[in-house]
Amino acid sequence: MVSIPAQKQSAVTPERPGATQELSGHHATHDVTNQPPPPAPYDASEDTALLEGLRREGAGWAEEDIRRLGLRAGSVEAQEWGELANRHEPVLRTHDRYGHRVDEVEFHPSWHHLMRVAVAEGLAAAPWADERPGAHVARTAGGLVWGHTEAGHGCPTSMTYAAVPVLRRQPELAKVYEPLLTSREYDPELRVPTEKRGLLAGMGMTEKQGGSDVRTNTTVATPTAESGVYTLRGHKWFTSAPMCDVFLVLAQAPGGLSCFLVPRVLPDGSRNTFRIQRLKDKLGNRSNASSEPEFDGTVAWLVGPEGRGVKTIIEMVNCTRLDCVMSSATLMRKTLVEAAHHVRHRSAFGARLIDQPLMRNVLADLALESEAATTLTLRLAGAADRAVRAADADGAEAAFRRIATAVGKYWVTKRGPAFTAEALECLGGNGYVEESGMPRHYREAPLLSIWEGSGNVNALDVLRALSREPGTAEALFAELALAQGADARLDAAVTRLKALLTAGSEAGARRLVEQMALTLQASLLVRHAPAAMADAFCASRLGGDWGHAFGTLPDAADVDGILERALPGGV
């Protein structure tokens, strides 16, 4: 018999079946130490700023539902749905096995699980059928927690939400479609819309030759013998969620650029011509199919008057811009939670990362940015809710919503990529690996600054609102005045902002809007957040006591107080 040297022998340890251990007593090289446990399950609603904002903006009645949804969003199951929906991307099927044109997109079951929960929880168009004050705020808060799963499925729910106020411009269409769009039932099959339990809506605006300059659209709308019915011919460039039931699209009618409703399936059960030429190969948001549909004799119904397409569809844009702010704030919070989880369980240079002063500064700086984004998001949702109710009889909230949503869209979405990069870096090399989930969040962040108008488009839209809608400036400064005298740095910032408005130019639009956003966020924190948060935000963002990267808060900042509020449970 051949003997085996003792140092080569190994045995299976009962604590870790399948693992090997040297008989000499040395630890196996594959023992795992100094790595965090999986972050899920966790409570995505464990966010003080979110819950306070929910109550403050009139939707405290929804808190129990938000907390329940937060637990579900942070569950192992829901987190896995998000990962699988992105790993198994949508697949385009232009034809069936017999050669018939079908233009369908197949999704992984996880996508449908995510969608089913989102629609059932009222994250699509349900608030438009809910008479309770704060219903739109409750939806936004739900998005802030359910968005911890994955971002792509938020696109069709957002467009469905935004389609309802546009359809109301054509009451006979709204009567048919609104009850189905506001349904809480997810019905993904392509069928005659009126035979379904619930509908989803999409939007087709941009074309290859113009992008955001939709007035250059070349899709042609030809009237038919039936009043209000047209046929479309053209090619759209970036139409997301092509499996939605109906789409609001822009096309050139005889009277100019107009808005139309395009169903995927016609009332007689036949497929409308909606040829999906290809799906976009995108940087992120990969679970969501974005497509190039071609119209050729496509049947469409006019929404609003001919030649008023942009004015008709702009309400849809305003709603989806709010959701861009919401989604950026969600990404910030999600990646902050992931970063905090890692540094609580990881040690380096003899101490836990969470206990090291420089890391605490980084986390506190990120926490400030996250709370400012969340607080602004819920204030915008509150304005939106009140703007559609009798509570806004003087139109003040509508005017504030008009300018503040564009300001928030510009700034919060701009902060997203830098924020997610810094949060990813808290995980070091672990964060650069796909298994961590952080690369997916990082890829998602830039989209929100591009979708519904890039930074320049939103900055110029603010200038347009200021020049064409005089009440908007007054509404913004009335909001800022609510914090007057509470912080000298904020008062000075308001004075500077007024001077910038007087000397404003198109070339300086970004600078102006940035100052609007920071001043507005600071005023909200001064009024509603603890002193530790408000003081550090004003010192760094308004007072100039800050560097050019996250983690450069001044020594006087109450880092412990900030972290205790933002990251309860072991900071």
Side-chain angles (χ1 to χ4, degrees), residues 448-472:
L448 299 162
S449 185
I450 296 169
W451 188 32
E452 299 307 357
S454 63
N456 284 354
V457 170
N458 277 269
L460 293 174
D461 187 48
V462 172
L463 294 187
R464 187 179 303 109
L466 290 169
S467 63
R468 299 182 183 178
E469 302 173 52
T472 55

Side-chain angles (χ1 to χ4, degrees), residues 47-200:
D47 181 352
T48 304
L50 184 153
L51 296 174
E52 288 181 354
L54 178 76
R55 302 176 200 123
R56 185 170 59 245
E57 297 298 337
W61 50 265
E63 183 169 340
E64 183 178 344
D65 287 338
I66 296 301
R67 288 181 175 273
R68 174 181 49 76
L69 187 59
L71 287 170
R72 190 167 189 185
S75 69
V76 173
E77 179 184 53
Q79 291 296 305
E80 184 178 28
W81 288 345
E83 195 276 326
L84 290 174
N86 281 273
R87 186 195 307 170
H88 302 284
E89 297 179 21
V91 176
L92 172 62
R93 291 180 60 239
T94 57
H95 296 77
D96 67 13
R97 60 180 291 191
Y98 305 106
H100 302 118
R101 186 98 196 193
V102 292
D103 295 291
E104 295 185 358
V105 181
E106 294 178 348
F107 293 88
H108 189 270
S110 291
W111 167 271
H112 296 296
H113 295 326
L114 292 164
M115 288 294 301
R116 190 167 290 108
V117 172
V119 173
E121 294 290 341
L123 306 187
W128 298 106
D130 192 336
E131 295 298 324
R132 291 175 293 182
H136 296 267
V137 178
R139 173 191 175 269
T140 298
L144 285 166
V145 298
W146 186 245
H148 280 235
T149 55
E150 74 93 38
H153 81 293
C155 179
T157 58
S158 177
M159 293 189 295
T160 303
Y161 170 69
V164 170
V166 180
L167 276 181
R168 288 178 174 178
R169 299 289 187 97
Q170 206 72 33
E172 64 273 20
L173 292 178
K175 183 178 179 180
V176 174
Y177 291 104
E178 184 173 331
L180 294 166
L181 290 169
T182 57
S183 167
R184 289 178 179 246
E185 291 196 59
Y186 174 59
D187 186 348
E189 299 298 324
L190 280 179
R191 299 199 308 276
V192 176
T194 53
E195 297 178 0
K196 297 186 61 172
R197 302 185 306 276
L199 301 179
L200 295 174

Side-chain angles (χ1 to χ4, degrees), residues 205-210 213-221 233-236 250-252 257:
M205 295 178 64
T206 61
E207 296 183 6
K208 66 188 74 174
Q209 73 283 347
D213 186 6
V214 295
R215 295 188 186 277
T216 65
N217 281 5
T218 61
T219 296
V220 174
R233 181 178 174 81
H235 188 137
K236 291 297 178 180
L250 294 177
Q252 300 286 357
L257 191 65

Side-chain angles (χ1 to χ4, degrees), residues 78-374:
Q79 291 296 305
E80 184 178 28
W81 288 345
E83 195 276 326
L84 290 174
N86 281 273
R87 186 195 307 170
H88 302 284
E89 297 179 21
V91 176
L92 172 62
R93 291 180 60 239
T94 57
H95 296 77
D96 67 13
R97 60 180 291 191
Y98 305 106
H100 302 118
R101 186 98 196 193
V102 292
D103 295 291
E104 295 185 358
V105 181
E106 294 178 348
F107 293 88
H108 189 270
S110 291
W111 167 271
H112 296 296
H113 295 326
L114 292 164
M115 288 294 301
R116 190 167 290 108
V117 172
V119 173
E121 294 290 341
L123 306 187
W128 298 106
D130 192 336
E131 295 298 324
R132 291 175 293 182
H136 296 267
V137 178
R139 173 191 175 269
T140 298
L144 285 166
V145 298
W146 186 245
H148 280 235
T149 55
E150 74 93 38
H153 81 293
C155 179
T157 58
S158 177
M159 293 189 295
T160 303
Y161 170 69
V164 170
V166 180
L167 276 181
R168 288 178 174 178
R169 299 289 187 97
Q170 206 72 33
E172 64 273 20
L173 292 178
K175 183 178 179 180
V176 174
Y177 291 104
E178 184 173 331
L180 294 166
L181 290 169
T182 57
S183 167
R184 289 178 179 246
E185 291 196 59
Y186 174 59
D187 186 348
E189 299 298 324
L190 280 179
R191 299 199 308 276
V192 176
T194 53
E195 297 178 0
K196 297 186 61 172
R197 302 185 306 276
L199 301 179
L200 295 174
M203 175 171 57
M205 295 178 64
T206 61
E207 296 183 6
K208 66 188 74 174
Q209 73 283 347
S212 296
D213 186 6
V214 295
R215 295 188 186 277
T216 65
N217 281 5
T218 61
T219 296
V220 174
T222 303
T224 69
E226 185 178 349
S227 177
V229 181
Y230 294 65
T231 58
L232 307 186
R233 181 178 174 81
H235 188 137
K236 291 297 178 180
W237 186 237
F238 221 107
T239 299
S240 287
M243 290 301 287
C244 287
D245 301 283
V246 295
F247 291 81
L248 289 168
V249 305
L250 294 177
Q252 300 286 357
L257 191 65
S258 306
C259 181
F260 296 90
L261 179 75
V262 175
R264 286 294 314 267
V265 180
L266 295 172
D268 64 3
S270 63
R271 295 284 180 97
N272 207 359
T273 303
F274 195 96
R275 300 192 186 113
I276 303 174
Q277 301 300 328
R278 61 172 173 166
L279 299 184
K280 297 290 192 178
D281 187 8
K282 298 174 293 183
L283 168 68
N285 198 251
R286 301 187 72 90
S287 70
N288 176 41
S290 298
S291 68
E292 292 180 37
E294 185 177 71
F295 304 142
D296 188 7
T298 303
V299 182
W301 280 259
L302 182 66
V303 180
E306 273 196 13
R308 306 287 283 175
V310 173
K311 188 172 182 63
T312 299
I313 209 170
I314 196 65
E315 181 61 21
M316 189 172 196
V317 173
N318 287 335
C319 289
T320 50
R321 282 180 176 174
L322 169 59
D323 281 6
C324 287
V325 182
M326 175 192 76
S327 295
S328 284
T330 304
L331 269 178
M332 289 182 187
R333 181 65 189 178
K334 167 67 171 174
T335 54
L336 174 62
V337 168
E338 296 277 0
H341 175 79
H342 181 86
V343 301
R344 278 175 173 146
H345 296 91
R346 181 82 163 177
S347 296
F349 308 108
R352 287 191 312 160
L353 290 175
I354 189 68
D355 296 327
Q356 300 189 17
L358 189 52
M359 179 59 78
R360 293 179 71 79
N361 194 307
V362 170
L363 286 177
D365 213 351
L366 292 174
L368 282 180
E369 196 75 29
S370 176
E371 175 147 347
T374 297

